[in-house]
Amino acid sequence: MKPLDTLDVQLLQLVMSEPKAGVREYSRRLGIARATAQSRLDKMVEAGVIRSFAPHIDLAKVGFPLSAYIHLTLRQVDFDKVIARVGTIPYVTQADSMAGAEDLTCRVVARDHEHLETISLGLMRIEGVERIRTDIVLRHRIPHRLSQLIREL
């Protein structure tokens, strides 16, 4: 995909700030044809710029008020096997390969501290995991955000 132009950026800003408004409303606000707005959105989806239209869910409100980062040190030869196994754990909401002391950082959610311990022990039992370190999130201070980056475009 070619670099985003001003119209693409404006459309992205609308989608991010008002995801339920819909293509017709986006086109009305931007003063463009509905087909133009849809075509631009389709191109951004196809190029991977927009990865999802899924809602953001407050996991605390649905029974998972505790979140933590669990850092794993792995035997390098087992890396892919460990990733595959970690991917089957429903409480792992994200996992990233890291440069540094640990090899993999998993963001996890739990019902309470006992549940978090169960998740941690489960990760520790995976063949290829040598060591774990857990950091419990006390409070989310700055939520995951992207709009400030889009404004920079």
Side-chain angles (χ1 to χ4, degrees), residues 9 12 15-16 20-21 27 29 32 37 46 49-50 52-53 67 91 95 116 140 150:
V9 171
L12 268 178
V15 169
M16 291 172 61
K20 289 174 50 175
S27 63
R29 289 193 190 176
I32 60 174
E46 184 179 311
V49 173
I50 297 174
S52 173
F53 290 96
S67 61
Y91 310 106
L116 178 60
H140 297 288
I150 301 304

Side-chain angles (χ1 to χ4, degrees), residues 16-140:
M16 291 172 61
S17 65
E18 299 181 53
K20 289 174 50 175
V23 176
R24 181 175 292 155
E25 181 61 17
Y26 301 147
S27 63
R28 186 189 68 75
R29 289 193 190 176
L30 295 173
I32 60 174
R34 185 195 158 292
T36 300
Q38 186 65 61
S39 173
R40 296 284 184 120
L41 284 172
D42 290 345
K43 285 179 184 174
M44 287 190 276
V45 168
E46 184 179 311
V49 173
I50 297 174
R51 295 187 326 197
S52 173
F53 290 96
H56 294 283
I57 297 169
D58 185 339
L59 294 173
K61 304 262 193 244
V62 296
F64 300 99
L66 184 61
S67 61
Y69 292 94
I70 301 179
H71 311 277
L72 289 72
T73 303
L74 311 177
R75 282 194 313 258
Q76 297 304 302
V77 296
D78 296 321
F79 195 87
D80 291 334
K81 287 186 223 173
V82 172
I83 298 296
R85 179 66 185 96
V86 168
T88 67
I89 301 169
Y91 310 106
V92 175
T93 62
Q94 182 176 336
D96 297 302
S97 299
M98 305 299 285
E102 287 95 10
D103 301 303
L104 187 69
T105 295
C106 301
R107 183 171 181 192
V108 302
V109 295
R111 291 185 290 276
D112 52 36
H113 290 91
E114 184 178 337
H115 186 220
L116 178 60
E117 182 180 31
T118 301
I119 295 165
S120 296
L121 291 172
L123 286 167
M124 192 65 209
R125 286 188 200 105
I126 296 173
E127 186 178 337
V129 174
E130 293 182 338
R131 186 172 47 257
I132 67 169
R133 179 175 62 84
T134 302
D135 295 322
I136 294 174
V137 175
L138 298 175
R139 185 185 313 168
H140 297 288

